[in-house]
Amino acid sequence: MALVDVKGVSKRFGGLTAVSDVDLTVNAGEVHCLIGPNGAGKSTLFKLIVGLYPPTKGSIFFDSVDITAERPYARVQRGMSIKMQAPSVFKELPVRQNIQIALQERLSGAERMEEEDRLLALLDLADDSGKLAGALSHGQQQWLEIGMALALQPQLLLLDEPTAGMSPEETHKTGELIKSFNAGGMTVLVVEHDMAFVRQVAQRVTVLHLGKIFARGSLEAILADEKVAEIYLGKTHAH
Ligand code: ADP
Ligand code: MG
């Protein structure tokens, strides 16, 4: 049932412990949100899960396999797909070609073109497929990058603040997209700051604070938790 199992993981940067003895379970089939105030350690934990940092201590399991020592590429081959916090599309290439690059390892010929069309339509980018990616709005570039992550047909989609810089409408649309991926069987782990978005998509929530697990539970339980509201007070717009 646990697709990702983080066990007793810590990450130190010099004298600073950014992530401290964290246990986190993401169950197969759920949308799990990782939230917490600015500097809580969310992005660091995300990078530990995808393999961009080795942990100082602890272990990480994917599908019951210990992947603690695996490089990001090996984790991608196991079925993880990653969208980092800063968009990293190929701005000087057309939108369609960005999707093509992401698909080319898995598909070719007519099959690939069909999948390109499907993804472009899904992301509402069909009309802009000939534009350079750098000419898209910020929100559209975020969608394009989500599309590139989806092109790998991951078992687990990992998104770090996918709605950063989006309008409320774009944010809502992103939430609906994530719910549709999840309805198709994909497990999703989202680092998020926007509580409206968390309400829209999350089934379970883990709250990080000062590098430690502060609370975890169903969306309803976390929304009703006064201690969680306190650490968020006045901080929901911080980045
Ligand atoms: P969040 O994503 O929750 O805002 P981060 O994981 O980015 O938090 O950061 C947690 C803490 O770790 C912060 O104090 C941040 O300054 C520090 N930190 C993050 N990455 C590094 C790094 N590469 N080197 C040193 N300190 C870092
Ligand atoms: Mg962050």
Side-chain angles (χ1 to χ4, degrees), residues 61-130:
F61 295 82
F62 181 70
D63 223 355
S64 304
V65 178
D66 187 340
I67 57 162
T68 313
E70 281 188 354
R71 311 284 300 163
Y73 185 71
R75 300 186 194 203
V76 170
Q77 285 187 319
R78 286 192 185 277
M80 290 189 179
S81 201
I82 306 153
K83 186 203 167 299
M84 302 300 295
Q85 192 163 353
S88 63
V89 298
F90 299 104
K91 290 183 192 255
E92 70 289 358
L93 295 178
V95 169
R96 179 181 287 274
Q97 208 176 326
N98 272 266
I99 296 285
Q100 229 166 55
I101 288 168
L103 283 171
Q104 67 192 7
E105 223 176 292
R106 191 165 65 79
L107 297 173
S108 61
E111 247 185 343
R112 190 183 68 197
M113 279 186 41
E114 244 174 65
E115 183 64 2
E116 279 168 33
D117 289 338
R118 190 185 72 83
L119 287 172
L120 288 165
L122 182 73
L123 301 160
D124 208 4
L125 291 172
D127 292 343
D128 297 308
S129 65

Side-chain angles (χ1 to χ4, degrees):
M1 190 172 173
L3 186 56
V4 178
D5 214 354
V6 172
K7 291 188 173 168
V9 160
S10 298
K11 181 66 183 174
R12 274 200 304 273
F13 297 112
L16 176 92
T17 304
V19 168
S20 180
D21 207 17
V22 162
D23 293 319
L24 169 73
T25 302
V26 180
N27 292 324
E30 73 180 354
V31 179
H32 195 117
C33 283
L34 180 60
I35 69 170
N38 191 28
K42 303 182 298 295
S43 290
T44 302
L45 179 55
F46 186 88
K47 288 174 186 164
L48 289 163
I49 294 172
V50 304
L52 290 166
Y53 292 146
T56 308
K57 176 179 148 313
S59 309
I60 300 171
F61 295 82
F62 181 70
D63 223 355
S64 304
V65 178
D66 187 340
I67 57 162
T68 313
E70 281 188 354
R71 311 284 300 163
Y73 185 71
R75 300 186 194 203
V76 170
Q77 285 187 319
R78 286 192 185 277
M80 290 189 179
S81 201
I82 306 153
K83 186 203 167 299
M84 302 300 295
Q85 192 163 353
S88 63
V89 298
F90 299 104
K91 290 183 192 255
E92 70 289 358
L93 295 178
V95 169
R96 179 181 287 274
Q97 208 176 326
N98 272 266
I99 296 285
Q100 229 166 55
I101 288 168
L103 283 171
Q104 67 192 7
E105 223 176 292
R106 191 165 65 79
L107 297 173
S108 61
E111 247 185 343
R112 190 183 68 197
M113 279 186 41
E114 244 174 65
E115 183 64 2
E116 279 168 33
D117 289 338
R118 190 185 72 83
L119 287 172
L120 288 165
L122 182 73
L123 301 160
D124 208 4
L125 291 172
D127 292 343
D128 297 308
S129 65
K131 274 193 193 168
L132 295 185
L136 296 177
S137 73
H138 182 77
Q140 286 178 311
Q141 289 189 30
Q142 299 274 58
W143 288 331
L144 177 56
E145 198 177 356
I146 291 172
M148 293 170 74
L150 277 181
L152 305 174
Q153 288 198 321
Q155 213 179 335
L156 173 69
L157 180 64
L158 298 125
L159 306 166
D160 192 354
E161 299 209 23
T163 69
M166 286 187 181
S167 68
E169 293 72 25
E170 288 174 330
T171 297
H172 182 77
K173 200 163 146 184
T174 305
E176 293 307 295
L177 270 175
I178 288 173
K179 287 202 280 191
S180 75
F181 308 153
N182 178 250
M186 195 180 288
T187 307
V188 187
L189 175 63
V190 196
V191 170
E192 193 45 69
H193 220 100
D194 184 317
M195 279 311 284
F197 182 79
V198 171
R199 282 170 199 266
Q200 186 189 351
V201 303
Q203 289 154 16
R204 285 205 310 141
V205 179
T206 296
V207 186
L208 264 189
H209 185 40
L210 302 172
K212 295 194 170 76
I213 299 290
F214 185 77
R216 72 177 112 226
S218 66
L219 174 66
E220 294 72 24
I222 292 299
L223 290 176
D225 188 330
E226 280 177 24
K227 295 198 312 293
V228 172
E230 270 170 35
I231 64 162
Y232 252 86
L233 211 61
K235 291 181 178 170
T236 48
H237 296 294
H239 282 285

